[in-house]
Amino acid sequence: MASLTFSRGIKYLQLDVKRTILTSTYSVYRTFSSQGNEPSFGLLFDIDGVIVRGKKVIPKVPETFKKLINSKGEFRIPTVFLTNAGNGLTADKAKQLSEWLNVKVSEEHVVMAHSPLNVFHNFHSKNVLVSGQGPIEEIARNIGFNKIVTVEDVRKAFPLLDAVDHKRRISQPASNDPNFPRIEAILLFGEPVRWETALQLMMDVLMTDGDPNHLPKHHSYPHIPLLACNMDLQWMAEANMPRFGHGAFLLCLEELYKKITGKDLIYETLVGKPSEVTYRYAQKIIMNQANKIQIGDKIKRLYAIGDNLNTDIFGANLFNECLINKKSTLPPNMNIDRSGFSNPNITECVSVLVKTGVFSNELSDSELDHAPRDFLHYGNKYRQPSFTTQDVNEAIDKIFQLEGFH
């Protein structure tokens, strides 16, 4: 029953809410003081909707980041770009950020949706089906996986399965590859290009226990492990309205599986915001940076800046609750490398909403619930930001004011 880990595990702990989520009155009641000019905080930046819209840099962003670097062009505050993007290599995203911001950004500053899968060592030797866009095989290898097949590999091995697009449909007799290895897990990095092909073949793999060569008498359940990155239902690009994200694809897969089998799709794990494991991983990266510049013992708080109530704000507030109560939503039997996940000095994660992305007052975002399926039971309390600003420039100024930092 190992594959029940996440879907049941996230409900493992109903946190005792002893403090209300911080509100816009945060600055009235809280003022911190940095010793000298050494920061006592770290920064977590979302990218899409906060720094850029598509590939267009949002106004004032480059000048904002000049406030975060020293005379050598190095970050003087531990900083992580915490994105739910999963269609590229960390090195490429760091290079892209460097060009956008006119600041040197290295891989150690970037946590992508798939980055936390580095610590899921028990899956690295399994034969995994990988879905997404970009160099997905290279991404998988870079985070530790070494037996990789793609949706296209499955399509070629089982040519009769992909039948939705009539132009690509094979009507003549065709044989399956009898030597195609059984798939032991499915790894979803991000939304694919051909949703109909990916949805159909994933359903086939899930319902045949990873081996479409053999039709079982009964659907295997629990099905093979499913690991998914990036739960964003929508994201903000150049268009005036938000675009479908990987969360929309996951919603389709969940509903199809439920409709066809009568059972709930099970996630072994969900990584990317708002998952706690992602914030734990980002905290570890923040502390690595802080220790390098010898201020690790001074970092007390994290500020998470984002534009999405259901991922950025929800995730930061959920993690804050874990820090306050010194508890975790992660099931104790989740087989991951937890080294560096806890730090007694960090006691808060403050959520900061900016209005340059998905969030829109006109659409009454605070009343819409676009949270991922397995997070719905938490309700709306985690979707209220500690404070809201117009853009990232105003957010940094507010944080500096709260921290007495300059």
Side-chain angles (χ1 to χ4, degrees):
M1 301 288 284
S3 61
L4 291 170
T5 299
F6 188 85
S7 291
R8 288 183 180 174
I10 199 167
K11 300 176 184 177
Y12 169 80
L13 180 63
Q14 293 294 328
L15 294 171
D16 180 16
V17 183
K18 296 178 180 178
R19 288 164 47 155
T20 57
I21 297 300
L22 300 174
T23 65
S24 58
T25 57
Y26 185 90
S27 60
V28 176
Y29 300 106
R30 307 297 297 275
T31 303
F32 304 107
S33 178
S34 298
Q35 297 180 1
N37 204 33
E38 290 185 335
S40 59
F41 60 98
L43 298 170
L44 306 177
F45 289 96
D46 182 36
I47 298 176
D48 293 305
V50 174
I51 294 172
V52 294
R53 292 268 298 263
K55 294 184 179 180
K56 183 178 180 181
V57 179
I58 293 172
K60 296 184 180 181
V61 166
E63 64 188 73
T64 300
F65 276 83
K66 290 180 181 178
K67 303 173 185 178
L68 309 183
I69 59 175
N70 59 23
S71 58
K72 297 179 182 179
E74 302 166 337
F75 281 97
R76 60 195 182 113
I77 301 167
T79 297
V80 162
F81 296 92
L82 185 60
T83 176
N84 268 354
N87 61 348
L89 301 170
T90 305
D92 292 340
K93 181 58 70 175
K95 180 180 178 182
Q96 192 176 46
L97 283 164
S98 298
E99 294 170 353
W100 285 335
L101 304 175
N102 295 320
V103 171
K104 175 60 179 176
V105 179
S106 63
E107 285 188 74
E108 70 172 357
H109 294 103
V110 179
V111 173
M112 301 188 72
H114 49 69
S115 297
L117 293 178
N118 269 306
V119 302
F120 286 77
H121 300 307
N122 56 319
F123 285 96
H124 290 174
S125 61
K126 293 185 182 296
N127 189 42
V128 296
L129 170 62
V130 181
S131 170
Q133 296 184 45
I136 55 176
E137 294 176 80
E138 188 176 359
I139 293 170
R141 284 193 295 270
N142 282 357
I143 57 177
F145 294 87
N146 51 62
K147 296 179 182 177
I148 303 160
V149 297
T150 66
V151 172
E152 188 61 26
D153 292 333
V154 176
R155 181 175 178 269
K156 290 178 180 178
F158 305 96
L160 295 178
L161 297 185
D162 186 16
V164 175
D165 185 343
H166 289 201
K167 292 181 180 180
R168 297 208 307 170
R169 182 175 180 175
I170 296 176
S171 56
Q172 67 270 25
S175 59
N176 296 339
D177 179 357
N179 299 315
F180 194 80
R182 175 180 174 266
I183 294 168
E184 299 174 278
I186 298 177
L187 179 56
L188 306 180
F189 284 148
E191 61 273 18
V193 175
R194 286 185 170 269
W195 286 30
E196 80 285 357
T197 295
L199 289 168
Q200 177 67 79
L201 299 190
M202 284 177 199
M203 285 295 299
D204 293 330
V205 169
L206 289 167
M207 295 173 66
T208 59
D209 199 33
D211 185 8
N213 262 316
H214 299 93
L215 182 64
K217 293 181 180 179
H218 303 285
H219 297 150
S220 179
Y221 194 83
H223 52 69
I224 61 173
L226 180 65
L227 298 84
C229 313
N230 182 356
M231 296 165 268
D232 284 353
L233 182 73
Q234 297 177 307
W235 66 290
M236 203 68 184
E238 293 92 343
N240 291 332
M241 296 181 66
R243 303 294 84 198
F244 289 157
H246 192 215
F249 178 81
L250 296 180
L251 179 62
C252 292
L253 185 60
E254 292 162 8
E255 291 300 317
L256 278 172
Y257 190 86
K258 179 76 170 181
K259 193 74 171 179
I260 292 172
T261 70
K263 297 180 172 119
D264 287 330
L265 187 72
I266 302 165
Y267 295 103
E268 178 75 17
T269 190
L270 286 163
V271 295
K273 298 171 288 186
S275 173
E276 182 196 339
V277 70
T278 290
Y279 286 85
R280 294 283 182 190
Y281 188 84
Q283 174 188 253
K284 178 179 179 180
I285 304 304
I286 284 282
M287 291 311 301
N288 287 346
Q289 294 179 32
N291 289 330
K292 281 186 179 181
I293 57 178
Q294 300 182 337
I295 60 169
D297 59 333
K298 295 181 172 62
I299 303 301
K300 308 297 182 186
R301 283 166 300 284
L302 300 177
Y303 289 89
I305 304 169
D307 68 310
N308 192 321
L309 292 174
N310 299 287
T311 51
D312 302 317
I313 303 306
F314 193 118
N317 287 335
L318 178 61
F319 184 45
N320 183 60
E321 188 75 20
C322 295
L323 292 172
I324 290 171
N325 291 319
K326 295 182 172 58
K327 295 181 181 179
S328 175
T329 62
L330 303 179
N333 62 336
M334 181 179 279
N335 190 4
I336 58 175
D337 178 7
R338 298 171 188 255
S339 59
F341 267 26
S342 297
N343 186 287
N345 291 335
I346 296 180
T347 58
E348 290 182 278
C349 183
V350 181
S351 59
V352 184
L353 177 69
V354 296
K355 296 183 177 181
T356 49
V358 169
F359 178 81
S360 168
N361 287 326
E362 290 78 10
L363 294 179
S364 302
D365 295 59
S366 61
E367 299 175 6
L368 297 175
D369 195 348
H370 292 169
R373 184 200 67 181
D374 286 16
F375 291 80
L376 289 174
H377 68 279
Y378 285 111
N380 289 328
K381 61 186 177 185
Y382 294 110
R383 300 169 66 248
Q384 301 301 317
S386 302
F387 58 87
T388 301
T389 62
Q390 291 297 320
D391 55 26
V392 72
N393 186 61
E394 185 180 323
I396 290 300
D397 286 346
K398 187 73 171 179
I399 291 167
F400 279 19
Q401 178 187 355
L402 290 170
E403 292 286 336
F405 185 78
H406 54 83

